[in-house]
Amino acid sequence: MVQADAATADPMRDASGQMVTADGVPLKQSLRRAERRRKLVALGLVAPLLLFLLVVFIFPIGQMMWRSVDNPQVVNALPLTLEALEGWDGRELPGEEVYAALAADFRADMERERRQQTSGPLGVRLNYELSAARGAVARTVRNVPGFEPPYKEAFLDAHRLWGDVALWRVIQREGRPLTTAYYVAALDREFDDQGNIVLRDENRRIYVNLYMRTLALSIAITVLTILLGFPIAYYMSILPMRYSNLLMIMVLLPFWTSLLVRTTAWIVLLQQQGVINESLVAIGIIGDDGRLSLMYNMWGTIIAMTHILLPFMVLPLYSVMRTIPPSYMRAAKSLGATPFTAFRKVYLPQTLPGIGAGAVLVFIISIGYYITPALVGGQSGRMISNEIARHMQQSLNWGLAAALGTILLFGVLILYWVYNRLVGAQNLKLG
């Protein structure tokens, strides 16, 4: 547009010798206006996409990251108690003045409108850190109108947890608007009696193992899709167009079927009374008592997800292989190279952009997969996404779910950064 505007203008010189257009505007100013208009038009064209990404992508991710550290429950519910706890050493139960402040906070909460009460969220928040805390808060709030001094004895009679120093340590530690407790729990750590971060008991460490399993399964699925997708893409690239199009339709067929239907089909195939086991028994490869266990374990997750994600590997590979001239291989063979050497030194290096693009697509998609591991994975085939969904839908610990999701997000970004440093994102070729 800038060139068109400059070409249609009739540059002349004014009295000072400066070049101007036919309407007397300095040529440099006219060019700047044209450039500004071009940028505004381009911004107007991409503005809907930017707005869409902001609303459905950037804003939700920001909300997730904020929820992983947001901690308003204790601050809103117990302002007087937290003020009275200042200076408490955390070794013995707090004094009478702290229990009196707690009674005042609970009474103030009961005087609020029901939808503004803070004792419910307080109990839920404390229960994340200490079992039975929710019940202690709920029972005490109902009985607090009848409490009289000494308040400490009244609280100890209301529920045993008010005599537990650990509960008061949690209240003091979480009495801040921001917290790291969700990230501590997401990394299988906890706070000890001195407030130090230590490893949890071995039977309570689940999240780090799930991260490692998710990483291992994603790598295995990516490698399998490369091994299966490479010969398919190669065969498609050397066939005549009408045959390669037919194979392309077969590759794309999973995209035209619901993900839930595809996963259910694998359940039918893989279960112990399913098609695969029945066929193996019928032809005598295995006995009836030696049926393969392919469902509700890691193998079910790998098999089903490899099939579902295979097109994401085939398509980038095919788009790259289609552009490699067959004469390169013939030239290498004519110069004395064996078929394997020609493939390894001539053909394979030219397919690396497609391999890289497919590997990134498959790995990033598989690391956050949820439906397939939930249906066919069982206990050993579960991934971290299933645990995030459980906290979102069942335990309702949204802070912990947000922390798990944020760690997963940054883990993927770190892996992508490493890939970019080693290979280079500019070498990716999606088509």
Side-chain angles (χ1 to χ4, degrees), residues 313 316-317 351-361 419 423 427-429:
M313 179 62 69
L317 282 173
T351 64
L352 290 181
I355 294 176
V360 169
L361 281 175
Y419 176 87
V423 179
N427 293 325
L428 295 179
K429 189 170 183 181

Side-chain angles (χ1 to χ4, degrees), residues 77-273:
L78 305 177
L80 300 177
T81 305
L82 293 174
E83 184 178 352
L85 275 175
E86 291 182 1
W88 178 58
D89 59 6
R91 297 177 181 175
E92 299 179 351
L93 288 176
E96 172 67 16
E97 68 280 0
V98 176
Y99 285 92
L102 181 62
D105 283 328
F106 281 168
R107 285 171 177 166
D109 181 68
M110 294 189 66
E111 294 173 359
R112 300 188 187 100
E113 295 183 14
R114 189 172 187 84
R115 57 187 174 83
Q116 296 178 340
Q117 289 180 348
T118 57
S119 59
L122 170 67
V124 173
R125 178 66 186 90
L126 295 179
N127 204 74
Y128 295 153
E129 307 294 331
L130 192 64
S131 180
R134 183 177 182 180
V137 172
R139 182 188 302 179
T140 307
V141 168
R142 289 194 300 266
N143 298 329
V144 77
F147 285 3
E148 295 180 356
Y151 290 106
K152 185 173 183 177
E153 295 182 6
F155 273 96
L156 295 182
D157 291 338
H159 199 280
R160 61 176 177 81
L161 273 185
W162 298 116
D164 190 344
V165 179
L167 176 61
W168 290 102
R169 291 192 186 115
V170 171
I171 292 175
Q172 185 183 51
R173 186 182 71 238
E174 299 305 320
R176 298 186 296 270
L178 300 178
T179 182
T180 60
Y182 295 125
Y183 286 99
V184 171
L187 295 173
D188 289 334
R189 266 67 175 173
E190 62 184 0
F191 293 95
D192 63 7
D193 295 342
Q194 286 74 40
N196 300 317
I197 298 176
V198 296
L199 273 172
R200 282 181 170 176
D201 295 336
E202 188 173 356
N203 58 352
R204 297 177 59 198
R205 301 175 197 168
I206 57 176
Y207 301 121
V208 173
N209 289 336
L210 275 178
Y211 278 118
M212 294 298 102
R213 183 190 300 166
T214 300
L215 180 62
L217 287 177
S218 300
I219 292 175
I221 292 165
T222 303
V223 171
L224 283 175
T225 54
I226 292 175
L227 295 177
L228 295 174
F230 196 96
I232 296 173
Y234 174 74
Y235 192 57
M236 289 169 54
S237 66
I238 63 175
L239 284 176
M241 186 60 68
R242 57 177 180 174
Y243 296 116
S244 65
N245 287 340
L246 180 61
L247 283 179
M248 178 66 73
I249 292 174
M250 297 177 65
V251 169
L252 294 176
L253 195 59
F255 283 135
W256 303 337
T257 309
S258 167
L259 175 61
L260 188 60
V261 172
R262 281 179 279 167
T263 305
T264 306
W266 276 111
I267 295 176
V268 174
L269 290 170
L270 297 177
Q271 59 186 331
Q272 287 200 336
Q273 304 300 324

Side-chain angles (χ1 to χ4, degrees), residues 217-419:
L217 287 177
S218 300
I219 292 175
I221 292 165
T222 303
V223 171
L224 283 175
T225 54
I226 292 175
L227 295 177
L228 295 174
F230 196 96
I232 296 173
Y234 174 74
Y235 192 57
M236 289 169 54
S237 66
I238 63 175
L239 284 176
M241 186 60 68
R242 57 177 180 174
Y243 296 116
S244 65
N245 287 340
L246 180 61
L247 283 179
M248 178 66 73
I249 292 174
M250 297 177 65
V251 169
L252 294 176
L253 195 59
F255 283 135
W256 303 337
T257 309
S258 167
L259 175 61
L260 188 60
V261 172
R262 281 179 279 167
T263 305
T264 306
W266 276 111
I267 295 176
V268 174
L269 290 170
L270 297 177
Q271 59 186 331
Q272 287 200 336
Q273 304 300 324
V275 175
I276 294 177
N277 272 299
E278 289 291 344
S279 300
L280 293 176
V281 171
I283 61 180
I285 295 180
I286 60 175
D288 192 58
D289 57 345
R291 293 173 179 266
L292 302 177
S293 180
L294 300 175
M295 271 287 297
Y296 307 121
N297 54 33
M298 178 179 61
W299 300 111
T301 299
I302 291 176
I303 293 171
M305 288 184 60
T306 299
H307 165 255
I308 292 170
L309 297 177
L310 187 59
F312 291 97
M313 179 62 69
V314 173
L315 293 178
L317 282 173
Y318 173 72
S319 68
V320 171
M321 291 178 177
R322 196 71 184 179
T323 62
I324 301 175
S327 58
Y328 288 0
M329 289 288 287
R330 293 196 298 268
K333 293 176 183 178
S334 67
L335 293 174
T338 64
F340 178 74
T341 303
F343 171 80
R344 181 171 58 88
K345 292 189 175 182
V346 177
Y347 192 83
L348 182 60
Q350 296 182 80
T351 64
L352 290 181
I355 294 176
V360 169
L361 281 175
V362 172
F363 180 81
I364 291 179
I365 294 174
S366 62
I367 207 169
Y369 236 62
Y370 160 67
I371 295 178
T372 303
L375 293 178
V376 303
Q379 190 62 32
S380 65
R382 286 167 57 85
M383 302 174 76
I384 192 64
S385 55
N386 301 112
E387 195 65 20
I388 294 173
R390 185 182 71 83
H391 284 303
M392 290 293 294
Q393 299 171 358
Q394 298 179 20
S395 71
L396 301 182
N397 192 346
W398 292 355
L400 180 55
L404 292 170
T406 303
I407 292 174
L408 182 63
L409 172 64
F410 279 98
V412 172
L413 292 177
I414 291 172
L415 290 173
Y416 182 77
W417 177 81
V418 171
Y419 176 87

Side-chain angles (χ1 to χ4, degrees), residues 2-74:
V2 175
Q3 294 177 351
D5 289 349
T8 55
D10 184 15
M12 299 180 295
R13 296 185 181 274
D14 57 9
S16 62
Q18 185 179 12
M19 296 187 69
V20 296
T21 60
D23 54 0
V25 179
L27 183 60
K28 291 184 178 179
Q29 182 179 350
S30 178
L31 291 173
R32 284 196 297 268
R33 286 180 182 176
E35 180 68 14
R36 188 161 53 248
R37 282 198 303 270
R38 186 186 66 83
K39 291 181 178 180
L40 290 176
V41 170
L43 179 61
L45 292 174
V46 302
L49 176 59
L50 293 177
L51 181 62
F52 177 80
L53 291 176
L54 178 65
V55 173
V56 305
F57 183 72
I58 298 176
F59 180 72
I61 288 179
Q63 282 287 93
M64 177 189 70
M65 297 174 66
W66 169 251
R67 191 176 287 275
S68 68
V69 297
D70 189 26
N71 190 45
Q73 295 89 347
V74 180

